[in-house]
């Protein structure tokens, strides 16, 4: 860290966000970026037109209240408008939740590995970390997370489906966990990938809001709606919490193009659902193909799969890069985002060759160092 300026000591132990690597150009091969959990399909024509229309008046600020989109989303979700707040991606809303809840010395409980901004923001708030390792199946260890809550805990974060490991929380275990959380401790349920989840017993955060006033849902248009580059995230929570979060969200953070694109996307939600099912189908085929080649793949409910490769993660990443594929090497495993069918076939080809060379690891155990992806 620079000695030229008076900077906060917390920066010494706070890593910067590291984005997914781009693919290497390989002669004769089309390259694919499978390292950032992006939606690989082109936008719907109506959405593309909305983006263009929203950018025609760049000299004017966008609506700071995001009023039209807020009303439309509230109706779509079946909640009141005062329960919804938009931000520049879910990451800004996550930062706002830390700002309104956490002071130096407070505790934050979160699973690990999961989204890398959880420890980053805890560090920057001066909080103590209660980082609870996922279990051997890549799932939240909810009993251990509940046991970690103390009278200093101010924020608990859950991620369902969990990025990068893949499993979604089950309704029964979620309700049992929430019953153990003090009513004044905010629980953030990060559902960035919820639209790809097809598990019948997955926890329903939206339905749980009326039962748990301390629950805040974190969602985004980046993933299933394919608007990652426009930065449209939102929270759904108790109106009193939403009112306080407004103090921490930057004004005009959601651009006019982003608001219009999200509004039109909501009108085409059925098309989004069809696309999400197509992505989920590709994900399941990829997971099955990898398992058939001897790889350990956790239950996957997002738009990605996790290979529990342990210390062979670097080798697998190099094998992918040599074949025009960029994947996310997270230290103890590799996360592969779902892409076009031809990209998934190439992943399976690389995986098969890797396994044939003795590279498969099926007993690496639960990861403990990996990090997540932007929202």
């Amino acid at each position: 860290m620079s000695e030229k300026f008076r900077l906060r000591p917390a920066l010494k132990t706070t890593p910067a966000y590291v984005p997914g690597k781009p693919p290497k150009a390989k002669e004769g091969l089309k390259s694919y970026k499978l390292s950032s959990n992006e939606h690989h399909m082109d936008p719907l024509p109506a959405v593309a037109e909305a983006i263009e229309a929203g950018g025609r008046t760049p000299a004017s600020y966008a609506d700071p209240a995001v009023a039209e989109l807020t009303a439309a989303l509230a109706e779509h979700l079946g909640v009141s408008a005062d329960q919804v707040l938009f931000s520049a991606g879910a990451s800004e809303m996550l930062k706002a939740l830390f700002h309104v809840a956490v002071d130096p010395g407070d505790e934050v409980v979160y699973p690990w590995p999961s989204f890398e901004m959880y420890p980053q923001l805890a560090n920057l708030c001066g909080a103590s970390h209660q980082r609870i390792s996922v279990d051997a199946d890549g799932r939240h260890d909810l009993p251990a997370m509940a046991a970690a809550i103390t009278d200093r805990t101010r924020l608990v974060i859950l991620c369902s489906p969990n990025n990068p490991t893949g499993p979604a929380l089950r309704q029964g275990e979620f309700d049992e966990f929430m019953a153990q959380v003090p009513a004044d401790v905010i629980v953030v349920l990060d559902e960035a990938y919820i639209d790809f989840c097809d598990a019948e017993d997955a926890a329903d955060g939206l339905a749980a809001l009326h039962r748990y006033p301390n629950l805040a849902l974190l969602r985004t248009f980046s993933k299933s709606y394919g608007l990652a580059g426009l930065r449209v995230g939102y929270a759904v929570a108790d109106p009193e919490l939403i009112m306080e979060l407004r103090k921490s969200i930057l004004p005009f953070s959601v651009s006019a193009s982003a608001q219009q694109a999200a509004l039109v996307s909501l009108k085409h939600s059925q098309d989004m659902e069809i696309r999400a099912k197509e992505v989920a189908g590709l994900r399941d085929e990829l997971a099955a193909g990898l398992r058939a080649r001897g790889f350990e793949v956790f239950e996957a409910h997002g738009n990605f799969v996790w290979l529990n490769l342990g210390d062979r993660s670097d080798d697998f990443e190099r094998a992918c890069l040599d074949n025009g594929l960029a994947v996310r090497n997270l230290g103890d495993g590799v996360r592969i985002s779902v892409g076009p069918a031809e990209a998934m076939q190439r992943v399976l080809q690389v995986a098969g060759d890797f396994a044939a060379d003795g590279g498969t690891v099926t007993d690496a155990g639960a990861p403990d160092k990996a990090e997540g992806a932007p929202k």
Side-chain angles (χ1 to χ4, degrees), residues 15-361:
Y17 177 75
V18 179
K21 295 179 181 178
K24 291 181 179 179
K26 302 294 291 185
E27 186 175 354
L29 281 179
K30 181 178 180 179
S31 296
Y32 294 99
K33 184 184 179 188
L34 309 174
S35 55
S36 294
N37 288 348
E38 296 160 328
H39 202 305
H40 69 274
M41 299 180 189
D42 292 333
L44 295 170
V47 175
E49 292 171 6
I51 295 171
E52 181 182 359
R56 288 174 185 160
T57 55
S60 301
Y61 286 116
D63 174 16
V66 197
E68 187 177 9
L69 179 56
T70 298
L73 180 64
E75 181 178 1
H76 178 76
L77 297 178
V79 299
S80 60
D82 61 359
Q83 289 180 270
V84 176
L85 181 63
F86 280 91
S87 58
S91 297
E92 186 191 21
M93 189 62 69
L94 180 65
K95 186 176 182 179
L97 283 157
F98 271 84
H99 281 178
V100 303
V102 182
D103 274 327
D106 290 340
E107 290 181 348
V108 179
V109 179
Y110 58 89
W112 197 252
S114 199
F115 183 37
E116 70 178 302
M117 283 194 71
Y118 303 159
Q120 186 182 56
L121 289 171
N123 257 25
L124 291 174
C125 288
S128 297
H129 302 242
Q130 293 293 336
R131 180 184 296 191
I132 309 302
S133 296
V134 298
D135 66 18
D137 295 318
R139 304 186 61 82
H140 287 34
D141 186 344
L142 290 178
M145 293 186 71
I149 297 172
T150 72
D151 58 2
R152 293 173 54 203
T153 303
R154 294 296 177 268
L155 201 63
V156 177
I157 307 175
L158 307 175
C159 187
S160 180
N162 187 49
N163 172 31
T165 58
L169 294 172
R170 301 185 181 104
Q171 189 66 56
E173 64 179 354
F174 172 74
D175 287 330
E176 184 177 348
F177 173 80
M178 290 299 295
Q180 299 176 71
V181 180
D184 60 350
V185 173
I186 296 172
V187 177
V188 179
L189 180 56
D190 186 341
E191 293 187 317
Y193 302 94
I194 195 63
D195 292 325
F196 301 109
C197 182
D198 50 11
E200 292 183 1
D201 60 347
D204 187 340
L206 198 61
L209 283 172
H210 74 279
R211 299 196 304 273
Y212 310 113
N214 58 328
L215 178 65
L217 303 187
L218 192 64
R219 293 187 174 186
T220 181
F221 279 78
S222 293
K223 307 304 178 182
S224 59
Y225 283 98
L227 301 183
L230 293 182
R231 315 310 299 134
V232 190
Y234 62 94
V236 189
D238 183 276
E240 291 186 26
L241 179 55
I242 291 295
M243 183 64 69
E244 298 306 318
L245 285 169
R246 292 183 185 280
K247 301 174 183 179
S248 191
I249 295 294
L250 292 174
F252 311 109
S253 65
V254 184
S255 71
S257 291
Q259 292 185 37
Q260 287 303 309
L263 187 61
V264 172
S265 293
L266 274 181
K267 295 176 182 178
H268 290 82
S269 287
Q270 288 185 334
D271 294 312
M272 179 278 293
E273 292 171 3
I274 292 171
R275 289 179 165 212
K277 288 180 180 178
E278 291 178 9
V279 170
L282 287 168
R283 173 203 67 208
D284 292 344
E285 290 175 8
L286 175 62
L290 289 166
R291 292 184 185 114
R293 287 158 176 79
F295 289 82
E296 181 181 19
V297 182
F298 292 147
E299 185 178 329
H301 290 298
N303 65 335
F304 53 87
V305 300
W306 169 264
L307 295 186
N308 199 27
L309 286 170
D311 59 8
R312 298 307 306 276
S313 298
D314 291 349
D315 296 336
F316 187 83
E317 179 190 26
R318 281 192 293 269
C320 288
L321 288 172
D322 288 343
N323 286 274
L325 301 169
V327 295
R328 192 69 183 270
N329 177 9
L330 300 172
D332 281 341
V334 172
R335 192 196 65 203
I336 306 171
S337 304
V338 173
E342 57 270 26
M344 302 296 90
Q345 287 303 310
R346 195 183 305 168
V347 169
L348 291 176
Q349 180 182 346
V350 172
D353 294 342
F354 187 78
D357 290 337
T360 309
V361 175

